Amino acid sequence: CAQPNFGVSHYTRLDLSVNGVDVAYVLELREVPTFTMLRDWKLGAKSSQSALEQKAAEQAQEWAKGLEFRAAGKLVEPRFVSADIRIRDMPDGQHVARIASTFKLLGAHSPLQFEDHNYPDRYGWKEIVIASRPGVQIITASHDSTDLTSGLTSVPDSPNASHQDLRAFVDWRTSTSPAVPPRIAPIPQPDRVQFSSDEKPAPPPLVPAKPDFLSHLLAMSQIPLQWVL
């Protein structure tokens, strides 16, 4: 069954290097959040790519505030590098947006803890990948380098297959010795509100509006002739 149109899928890749950590952060917004985001941007799916990319860069830096990184116990603020947006047309005329952002954690020291606090109550695929570059050896990590969706370019349609990973841990060291397979030790994931494939989030409570003249008129069983005239 298809993904619900109100969902948001997450993908985070942590690439460890001798200079720090490169972070790839990708969100795929389904039809409803895409519509809301474009409306807030005052843009449309057919707006110029340059205008969309400018807004995507601003949006990525807002999302960065919801990414918590702790290196050696200290909070580290991710440094924004770039953002790319792609909008896909759906058969029903709606649109799905995928925004791929890159950040850097300069001089981050081991161990590193990560948690994604964006869109906590949205259904979607949530994936974390941890990899290393030459000169770095991972000792222990909550996730390995397996990339199941190639950065959310091929997200499974079945909600039953969804991963729900929003928290990660990795301990590493700089080393020129031959690579040794890291120890993979999964950690508890935060509790999130999830929806089944055929379940929609409850609508917001209705707030009674102040009665206006037209509403009062339509509610009357008999409308005086002079009002009609």
Side-chain angles (χ1 to χ4, degrees), residues 149-165:
T149 63
S150 299
L152 293 187
T153 58
S154 57
V155 183
D157 282 334
S158 173
N160 295 328
S162 293
H163 281 211
Q164 299 299 307
D165 295 343

Side-chain angles (χ1 to χ4, degrees), residues 12-225:
T12 305
R13 181 184 176 97
L14 306 176
D15 279 303
L16 312 175
S17 73
V18 294
N19 297 318
V21 182
D22 291 328
V23 181
Y25 183 66
V26 186
L27 291 184
E28 182 187 78
L29 286 72
R30 300 298 299 182
E31 292 88 339
V32 171
T34 293
F35 172 83
T36 302
M37 181 179 69
L38 293 175
R39 181 199 61 194
D40 293 344
W41 290 359
K42 296 181 172 57
L43 295 176
K46 304 303 181 184
S47 296
S48 69
Q49 187 65 22
S50 60
L52 290 168
E53 287 182 352
Q54 179 181 350
K55 286 295 187 180
E58 296 173 3
Q59 185 65 64
Q61 293 174 77
E62 283 298 311
W63 285 336
K65 298 175 183 178
L67 304 179
E68 180 182 348
F69 296 94
R70 289 185 179 272
K74 296 182 179 180
L75 279 172
V76 178
E77 184 174 344
R79 175 182 171 186
F80 173 75
V81 177
S82 64
D84 175 74
I85 181 171
R86 292 290 181 267
I87 297 181
R88 188 168 80 251
D89 296 335
M90 304 303 288
D92 59 0
Q94 299 186 74
H95 309 281
V96 169
R98 174 184 176 275
I99 298 181
S101 314
T102 55
F103 303 92
K104 280 186 177 293
L105 305 179
L106 297 175
H109 299 290
S110 180
L112 178 70
Q113 295 171 295
F114 164 73
E115 185 164 348
D116 182 353
H117 299 287
N118 291 317
Y119 298 103
D121 299 331
R122 293 282 186 167
Y123 182 87
W125 177 276
K126 301 176 178 70
E127 180 179 2
I128 296 176
V129 176
I130 300 178
S132 62
R133 294 177 180 170
V136 170
Q137 182 174 327
I138 297 176
I139 302 171
T140 305
S142 57
H143 300 76
D144 60 21
S145 59
T146 304
D147 191 337
L148 297 173
T149 63
S150 299
L152 293 187
T153 58
S154 57
V155 183
D157 282 334
S158 173
N160 295 328
S162 293
H163 281 211
Q164 299 299 307
D165 295 343
L166 292 169
R167 181 185 289 161
F169 170 88
V170 58
D171 183 17
W172 75 94
R173 66 186 176 189
T174 57
S175 175
T176 57
S177 302
V180 176
R183 184 174 71 92
I184 304 303
I187 60 176
Q189 294 300 316
D191 293 331
R192 299 301 190 209
V193 175
Q194 300 298 331
F195 304 105
S196 63
S197 58
D198 58 352
E199 183 181 11
K200 297 182 179 180
L206 296 176
V207 179
K210 295 181 180 180
D212 55 22
F213 175 76
L214 180 59
S215 300
H216 177 71
L217 189 64
L218 293 175
M220 297 177 66
S221 58
Q222 291 184 339
I223 302 176
L225 177 62

